[in-house]
Amino acid sequence: MKDTIAFLGCCVVAVLATLPAAAAEQAQARMLNVRGDVIGTIELVQTANGVLLKGQLKPLPKGEHAFHVHTIGRCDVAASFDSAGGHFALDHKHGFKVAGGPHPGDMANLHVPDSEILTLEAINPGISLEKGARTSILDADGSALVIHANADDYETQPNGNAGGRIACGVIEAR
């Protein structure tokens, strides 16, 4: 009998290990361009080492573009996505090249090839999908992912001289 109970316990553990992450550990952002067209979705998954972001967006202008988490979960096309607020910064300075940086919402520049199709896979160790955590991007007013017109220079305050906002997506828990 003890062997049967032990076996069943192992089976339950094995099944639980294969289940998808809890809803609070996954999110997505449906990305819009400046015309309000959906250009793709970015999936966000909490990992032990930060948040994994994956997706494919098209079309995006060819070249290098800054990519950040912004503090407000609003992407108003009419306001050129200014509704998303500033970078998710907490008490950090902007940029990978500055003392006291980077913002938790700072991420490496995106490189869009001639095809204008971006395939994204990045990890951000500075943010979390855990509700209530200091670094959570799923707070009361939400957060957004923003792609800028220019590359981030990784040092100019407060936004890396990244230029206008060309794409935005509200991050929503799944």
Side-chain angles (χ1 to χ4, degrees):
M1 183 67 161
K2 286 183 181 179
D3 289 339
T4 302
I5 292 172
F7 174 75
L8 290 175
C10 289
C11 290
V12 168
V13 169
V15 168
L16 290 175
T18 65
L19 292 175
E25 295 177 347
Q26 296 183 26
Q28 66 180 11
R30 192 179 77 176
M31 301 298 291
L32 306 174
N33 64 18
V34 293
R35 292 183 305 279
D37 302 324
V38 176
I39 59 171
T41 300
I42 296 176
E43 302 291 330
L44 297 91
V45 177
Q46 183 68 52
T47 73
N49 297 301
V51 174
L52 175 65
L53 299 97
K54 292 178 77 168
Q56 188 174 71
L57 306 177
K58 63 181 178 179
L60 278 173
K62 164 181 124 166
E64 197 171 4
H65 302 280
F67 182 44
H68 304 115
V69 177
H70 284 244
T71 59
I72 301 171
R74 286 190 47 210
C75 292
D76 184 358
V77 174
S80 301
F81 303 133
D82 285 344
S83 56
H87 293 181
F88 184 73
L90 298 178
D91 55 357
H92 298 269
K93 289 188 177 184
H94 170 77
F96 295 107
K97 294 180 178 179
V98 300
H103 291 152
D106 288 345
M107 292 184 275
N109 288 327
L110 303 175
H111 300 270
V112 180
D114 289 339
S115 67
E116 298 181 342
I117 300 171
L118 172 71
T119 300
L120 168 71
E121 189 164 339
I123 190 91
N124 184 328
I127 61 174
S128 170
L129 298 178
E130 182 184 340
K131 290 186 180 179
R134 181 173 184 267
T135 58
S136 180
I137 57 175
L138 298 175
D139 58 8
D141 63 357
S143 300
L145 295 176
V146 174
I147 299 172
H148 294 265
N150 303 323
D152 189 326
D153 66 15
Y154 300 134
E155 59 190 335
T156 301
Q157 302 301 311
N159 63 11
N161 202 24
R165 300 169 185 198
I166 62 169
C168 185
V170 174
I171 300 167
E172 299 175 321
R174 292 192 314 160

